[in-house]
Amino acid sequence: MNLMLFGAPGAGKGTQAKFLIEKYGIPQISTGDILRAAIADNTDMGMEAKKFMDEGKLVPDSTIIGIIKDRLAEDDCKKGFILDGFPRTLAQAQALDKLMADMEILLDKVISLDVPDELIVGRITGRRVCSKCGASFHVEFNPSKEENVCDYCGGELIIRKDDNAETVKSRLEAYHAQTAPLIDFYTDMGVFVELDGTKDVSEVTKDMIAAL
Ligand code: ADP
Ligand code: ADP
Ligand code: ZN
């Protein structure tokens, strides 16, 4: 199963990816997580990407496409994968199309989580992420069982540097200008499914499984 989770920043992609990993035994490929790991490792690519991420802007396509090309070539992707936060521009979508054609694989579904901008700000400012495994929680809407401790791996929960009200504005602008046009791209491909992302986490999961 080759899947893509689509939606605005904070729409719930990472949260839902966790359920798909469990159900289908396929890896989640989050370009955001890969970039944050590169920053933590102090690589040249990470340092370059950080400038864009801190401002809530998209990292250049050439960097992102390189990351995905390497990641899809890894063994664990043979069973399938869940793309999360990629592609975010038409150039990225076209590059993915070509990569997958070369690999002779198809995209099964694009699951879009629709959440209006007004709700995104509260989701992002209340988000807490695991410093070890990247799992996402919310102080109010999806709290961890123990405060500041990850349910999945016991890691410490932190606030992402770019999760502030100011950066959210530019991230939403980037989403509407550069990413939302991909809705037409994947609708034309016949794989686009839109879900109401404003429902509770467990209800969105149910709808998602039903759509698959
Ligand atoms: P969110 O879903 O909250 O926006 P991500 O972890 O997906 O968070 O992304 C964090 C940041 O990493 C983005 O604001 C952007 O700067 C960068 N980024 C992640 N994925 C991409 C991508 N596919 N193209 C360009 N930039 C990306
Ligand atoms: P994305 O990966 O799309 O950026 P996340 O999965 O990290 O989004 O979710 C963003 C924030 O919203 C997190 O704090 C998460 O716990 C919370 N969240 C996710 N899904 C829901 C939901 N259905 N209802 C309320 N809050 C949610
Ligand atoms: Zn964790």
Side-chain angles (χ1 to χ4, degrees), residues 8 10-15 123 127 136-138 141-142 199-201:
K13 303 181 293 295
T15 302
R123 284 203 183 181
R127 170 157 63 185
S136 230
F137 299 88
H138 191 283
F141 309 137
N142 188 24
K199 296 183 185 175
D200 285 348
V201 172

Side-chain angles (χ1 to χ4, degrees), residues 81-112:
F81 46 79
I82 308 151
L83 296 171
D84 166 7
F86 171 89
R88 272 165 134 111
T89 64
L90 194 56
Q92 291 180 19
Q94 286 162 342
L96 175 67
D97 220 26
K98 178 155 188 321
L99 267 177
M100 291 183 74
D102 289 347
M103 296 168 78
E104 298 182 6
I105 54 175
L106 292 172
L107 191 58
D108 292 295
K109 280 250 160 20
V110 174
I111 303 277
S112 171

